[in-house]
Amino acid sequence: MDITTTIEDVANLAGVSIKTVSRVVNMEPNVRPATRERVQDAIRELGYQPNPSARGLASKRSYLVGLFYDDLMAESTYIVNVQRGVLTRCRKEGYELLIHPFNYHQNGINGLAEEITANIIKSRIDGVILTPPLSDLSIAIETLKRLDKPQIRLSPGHHESGSPCVYSDDRIAARLMTEHLIQLGHKRIAFIAGHSGHLAIVHRQTGFIDAMTAAGLNIDNASVSQGSNTFESGVKCAREILSHERAPTAIFASTDEMAAGVMSVAHQLGYSIPGDLSVAGYDNSQIAHQVWPALTTIAQPVNEMAEIATGLLIDQLRGGKKSISQVAMQSELVLRDSTGPAPC
Amino acid sequence: MDITTTIEDVANLAGVSIKTVSRVVNMEPNVRPATRERVQDAIRELGYQPNPSARGLASKRSYLVGLFYDDLMAESTYIVNVQRGVLTRCRKEGYELLIHPFNYHQNGINGLAEEITANIIKSRIDGVILTPPLSDLSIAIETLKRLDKPQIRLSPGHHESGSPCVYSDDRIAARLMTEHLIQLGHKRIAFIAGHSGHLAIVHRQTGFIDAMTAAGLNIDNASVSQGSNTFESGVKCAREILSHERAPTAIFASTDEMAAGVMSVAHQLGYSIPGDLSVAGYDNSQIAHQVWPALTTIAQPVNEMAEIATGLLIDQLRGGKKSISQVAMQSELVLRDSTGPAPC
DNA sequence: ACGTCTGTTGTTAACGTTTAAAATGTGTAG
DNA sequence: CTACACATTTTAAACGTTAACAACAGACGT
């Protein structure tokens, strides 16, 4: 129970050398089952916890993983869930998590490389989990490679880079959502794109276009407007979209925040949702439950993806199987009350 | 620039012993300015970064601080801002942050003590930042004291415990908000309380009662209803409150999420805000901007509080001034468009 | 000039673990 | 019964830093 119990105490109690204790602790082979048992008993009895600093010094590992994300995303449901998933896995595997938000919009893209380098050198991180939009910046990927830091990316789609990655295909999911709207009879559907620095947004837009094209529906200039992921930008876009003479009967916003902005405007303008206008979002954020009616959206299994990614990273750190480098996960269409049949 | 540069390399380049380099790195006294300069040049030239594991091993410090919070709060704007503030200060001071969400609702309050103990022993944390509602549980405070871990609390009000704390007085701020509503001419004001496990909520309710009593306004049973901090609970309470024959003309919800729930119901029932009904929240969460009209609320300087708290903790860790143990910060009334004059 | 103090620098031994190499046992084939 | 291979265990030397103490230098009072 004492925090100052050392490997030597355990060795003495078990009547073996410290190296044998080390073997047991690290689950190394070549320990006789009986010995292993004896050591484990001693560990339990003394409540021994290996000293991470000593370990780190001797083995040149820190048992720390870093979560790198865009500070602008810090408040998003996405990042919070990633944190949760990563933490869950870290605890299981005996790793700790260091969170590192980045502010690369001020210093530009080169500043980012420097900032990453500084962070890696200063912190003793063993490996990095990269989240969007950082995970889609080759400068980030390459910088970490140059520093020889194991990394795993969470990404909105398949990627050629060959760097290990857990992804869900946003293009397919966006297509799914659009098809849902089309099935409800909507013909004039508007899409609100988001921050173009996010690859996810690009994929979602492509998925929208895929579905529209496949259904033979018209995509004119007015069909796609440019937001920036935020509620406010959703408001702005909606004002514009709904001011047109032949306004769409459905709006698919590429983030839930923007969709919430759309709904707010729609209510103000007297639209009934989904009677007059269907609204769909993407991400299954908290806000999707906090609007009325509840928002139809796409849910990625963020928690699970983060857990899996962390697992893969730790495998990599343990020098194990580098084979599995790309894992695909399925997003889900969550039908709620903000979408309904097109008005006649 | 090489990550494997050691203190010895620096010592050789500067022509001094490693101890002198150590002195310079740790800003210890008794180094001649000229020597210090020479060492600093060498450090710069080699891009030397002290090895944290070696440091930790020798000094029994880890340069890691832990942020302990309730996992249920993980998605709140509050916790996100605390994370940001803490990180800002940690970076300045050369510390790293370990985030530790706790799930003590399943295992009960005793489970919490064990969980904290396990976390402290396993992780090499030097000190802990406790956030509400953990910071108001004496079991948490006492457990850390027993483990001899320096701690600092972020709290919604003054506290007798004597443990160091940065707080903003929620009672006073809630009184301020209530007075604002009273000044607008409201006489029937409803208060929606939140999760009673949060001391903040209790203080906010007391502040509400303070103001009502001081103004000679009636507080009957119907004036205070019981929510649980969430949007959904706000919806539930609002349905009830607004179903009464003499419904209030203003509702003060003790969290923004609940206030947003209230607004959603009010819109559905055809109330105009703030024409027919004023709504106020607390926390200045993201959602306060994402409702229409924008929500009048109370803003705590969360970022700043977290920074200061972290600074105090690190001072403590450095063995410095333990004198300043309670810092009070001012919350601010943020007037937006959801509150207005009472209807005649 | 001498000792003494004070500020500066150096030396040596931890700190608790892993790694590499050496030593001991244990079983099996000849 | 011996020898050799192989599994298990021990020993000794890192790892890079700080802590404790020793040594040295120059300033100062006597």
Side-chain angles (χ1 to χ4, degrees):
Chain A
M1 210 41 175
D2 192 357
I3 209 166
T4 62
T5 323
T6 106
I7 199 172
E8 205 177 337
D9 302 331
V10 177
N12 288 338
L13 181 58
V16 298
S17 76
I18 59 168
K19 176 65 231 195
T20 302
V21 177
S22 172
R23 282 217 180 76
V24 172
V25 169
N26 294 296
M27 299 187 290
E28 286 171 29
N30 298 336
V31 179
R32 216 182 331 228
T35 315
R36 191 177 293 269
E37 189 95 7
R38 209 143 34 91
V39 171
Q40 274 163 343
D41 286 348
I43 290 177
R44 230 186 325 267
E45 186 172 334
L46 296 173
Y48 167 70
Q49 286 289 145
N51 177 320
S53 294
R55 250 183 157 177
L57 181 56
S59 67
K60 300 179 185 315
R61 278 187 245 121
S62 67
Y63 300 91
L64 295 172
V65 306
L67 176 64
F68 284 17
Y69 56 91
D70 183 344
D71 189 44
L72 288 179
M73 300 265 298
E75 312 196 22
S76 66
T77 303
Y78 180 82
I79 287 297
V80 171
N81 280 324
V82 169
Q83 283 188 2
R84 242 201 283 264
V86 171
L87 271 170
T88 305
R89 192 51 168 266
C90 278
R91 284 185 176 176
K92 274 187 204 145
E93 307 284 354
Y95 275 71
E96 290 281 351
L97 172 64
L98 253 35
I99 58 176
H100 280 250
F102 284 83
N103 245 310
Y104 60 97
H105 303 279
Q106 309 160 345
N107 320 334
I109 219 78
N110 289 346
L112 179 61
E114 278 173 39
E115 212 182 327
I116 289 179
T117 308
N119 268 279
I120 290 293
I121 294 191
K122 202 160 297 179
S123 75
R124 50 218 109 165
I125 289 173
D126 281 343
V128 175
I129 296 150
L130 279 177
T131 61
L134 284 177
S135 54
D136 298 312
L137 293 172
S138 50
I139 184 107
I141 303 174
E142 293 306 325
T143 303
L144 288 173
K145 272 191 189 157
R146 194 163 341 110
L147 291 166
D148 213 27
K149 272 293 149 195
Q151 60 177 293
I152 183 120
R153 298 181 309 113
L154 285 168
S155 176
H158 188 68
H159 208 265
E160 303 310 322
S161 76
S163 79
C165 176
V166 175
Y167 69 96
S168 66
D169 196 320
D170 280 21
R171 178 170 174 179
I172 291 176
R175 176 169 184 158
L176 215 66
M177 175 64 85
T178 312
E179 285 169 353
H180 160 65
L181 294 171
I182 293 172
Q183 267 175 1
L184 286 169
H186 296 278
K187 303 224 179 305
R188 295 194 309 283
I189 306 177
F191 182 83
I192 303 183
H195 197 296
S196 59
H198 292 211
L199 190 56
I201 298 299
V202 177
H203 283 168
R204 291 170 195 181
Q205 180 170 345
T206 310
F208 166 74
I209 293 172
D210 287 349
M212 293 294 274
T213 310
L217 291 173
N218 198 21
I219 306 180
D220 54 22
N221 289 339
S223 306
V224 174
S225 40
Q226 185 64 45
S228 58
N229 295 15
T230 64
F231 180 88
E232 285 77 13
S233 74
V235 168
K236 209 193 87 252
C237 290
R239 288 233 171 85
E240 200 180 301
I241 293 169
L242 296 175
S243 70
H244 282 83
E245 45 202 305
R246 273 175 65 81
T249 61
I251 301 182
F252 177 12
S254 54
T255 68
D256 285 348
E257 273 70 28
M258 293 195 293
V262 170
M263 288 178 73
S264 175
V265 169
H267 286 137
Q268 288 168 54
L269 297 180
Y271 283 82
S272 130
I273 297 176
D276 305 328
L277 180 72
S278 284
V279 180
Y282 201 116
D283 280 338
N284 198 23
S285 300
Q286 257 186 312
I287 202 171
H289 305 275
Q290 298 174 338
V291 290
W292 181 82
L295 189 63
T296 292
T297 188
I298 298 282
Q300 298 180 55
V302 180
N303 246 287
E304 211 184 333
M305 288 172 71
E307 272 203 59
I308 291 175
T310 310
L312 290 176
L313 179 64
I314 293 177
D315 283 350
Q316 222 183 124
L317 296 179
R318 296 217 170 105
K321 359 154 185 176
K322 293 188 182 173
S323 43
I324 308 166
S325 68
Q326 303 254 342
V327 176
M329 305 282 294
Q330 202 77 43
S331 288
E332 192 189 352
L333 177 59
V334 180
L335 297 177
R336 298 213 183 88
D337 308 322
S338 66
T339 51
C344 345
Chain B
M1 211 39 176
D2 192 356
I3 208 166
T4 63
T5 321
T6 106
I7 198 171
E8 205 178 336
D9 302 331
V10 178
N12 288 338
L13 181 57
V16 297
S17 76
I18 59 169
K19 178 66 230 195
T20 303
V21 177
S22 172
R23 284 211 180 81
V24 172
V25 169
N26 295 295
M27 299 187 290
E28 286 172 28
N30 298 336
V31 178
R32 214 185 331 226
T35 315
R36 192 179 292 272
E37 190 94 6
R38 208 145 31 93
V39 172
Q40 274 164 343
D41 286 348
I43 290 177
R44 229 185 327 266
E45 185 170 336
L46 297 173
Y48 166 70
Q49 287 289 145
N51 177 321
S53 294
R55 250 181 156 178
L57 182 57
S59 67
K60 301 181 183 314
R61 279 187 245 121
S62 67
Y63 300 91
L64 295 173
V65 307
L67 176 64
F68 285 17
Y69 57 91
D70 183 345
D71 189 45
L72 288 179
M73 301 264 298
E75 311 195 24
S76 66
T77 303
Y78 181 82
I79 288 296
V80 171
N81 279 324
V82 170
Q83 282 188 2
R84 242 201 284 262
V86 170
L87 272 170
T88 306
R89 193 52 167 266
C90 279
R91 283 185 177 177
K92 274 186 202 146
E93 306 286 353
Y95 276 70
E96 289 281 350
L97 172 64
L98 251 36
I99 58 176
H100 280 249
F102 284 83
N103 246 310
Y104 60 98
H105 303 280
Q106 310 160 345
N107 321 333
I109 218 82
N110 289 346
L112 178 61
E114 279 172 40
E115 211 182 326
I116 289 179
T117 309
N119 267 279
I120 290 294
I121 294 191
K122 201 161 296 179
S123 76
R124 53 219 107 162
I125 290 173
D126 280 343
V128 174
I129 296 150
L130 278 176
T131 61
L134 284 178
S135 54
D136 298 312
L137 293 173
S138 51
I139 184 107
I141 303 174
E142 293 306 325
T143 303
L144 289 173
K145 273 191 189 156
R146 194 164 341 111
L147 292 166
D148 213 29
K149 268 299 145 193
Q151 59 176 293
I152 182 120
R153 299 181 310 113
L154 286 169
S155 175
H158 189 66
H159 209 265
E160 303 310 321
S161 77
S163 78
C165 176
V166 176
Y167 69 96
S168 66
D169 196 319
D170 280 22
R171 179 169 172 180
I172 291 177
R175 175 169 185 159
L176 215 67
M177 175 64 85
T178 312
E179 286 168 352
H180 160 65
L181 294 172
I182 292 171
Q183 268 177 0
L184 286 169
H186 296 277
K187 302 224 179 305
R188 297 194 309 282
I189 306 176
F191 182 81
I192 304 183
H195 198 295
S196 59
H198 292 211
L199 188 57
I201 297 299
V202 177
H203 284 169
R204 290 171 195 181
Q205 182 170 343
T206 310
F208 167 72
I209 293 172
D210 286 350
M212 292 294 275
T213 310
L217 291 174
N218 198 23
I219 306 180
D220 53 22
N221 290 339
S223 305
V224 174
S225 38
Q226 185 63 45
S228 57
N229 296 16
T230 63
F231 180 89
E232 286 77 13
S233 75
V235 167
K236 210 192 86 251
C237 290
R239 289 232 172 83
E240 201 180 300
I241 293 169
L242 296 176
S243 69
H244 283 82
E245 44 202 307
R246 274 174 65 80
T249 61
I251 300 181
F252 177 11
S254 54
T255 68
D256 285 348
E257 274 69 28
M258 294 194 292
V262 169
M263 289 179 72
S264 175
V265 170
H267 285 139
Q268 287 168 52
L269 297 179
Y271 283 82
S272 129
I273 298 175
D276 306 326
L277 180 72
S278 284
V279 180
Y282 201 117
D283 280 338
N284 199 23
S285 300
Q286 254 186 315
I287 202 172
H289 305 276
Q290 298 174 339
V291 290
W292 183 82
L295 188 63
T296 291
T297 188
I298 298 282
Q300 297 179 54
V302 180
N303 246 288
E304 210 183 335
M305 288 172 71
E307 271 202 59
I308 291 175
T310 309
L312 290 177
L313 179 65
I314 294 177
D315 283 350
Q316 223 183 123
L317 297 179
R318 296 218 171 105
K321 358 150 186 179
K322 292 186 182 174
S323 44
I324 309 166
S325 67
Q326 303 255 341
V327 176
M329 304 283 292
Q330 201 77 44
S331 288
E332 193 189 351
L333 177 59
V334 180
L335 296 177
R336 297 213 183 89
D337 307 323
S338 66
T339 52
C344 342

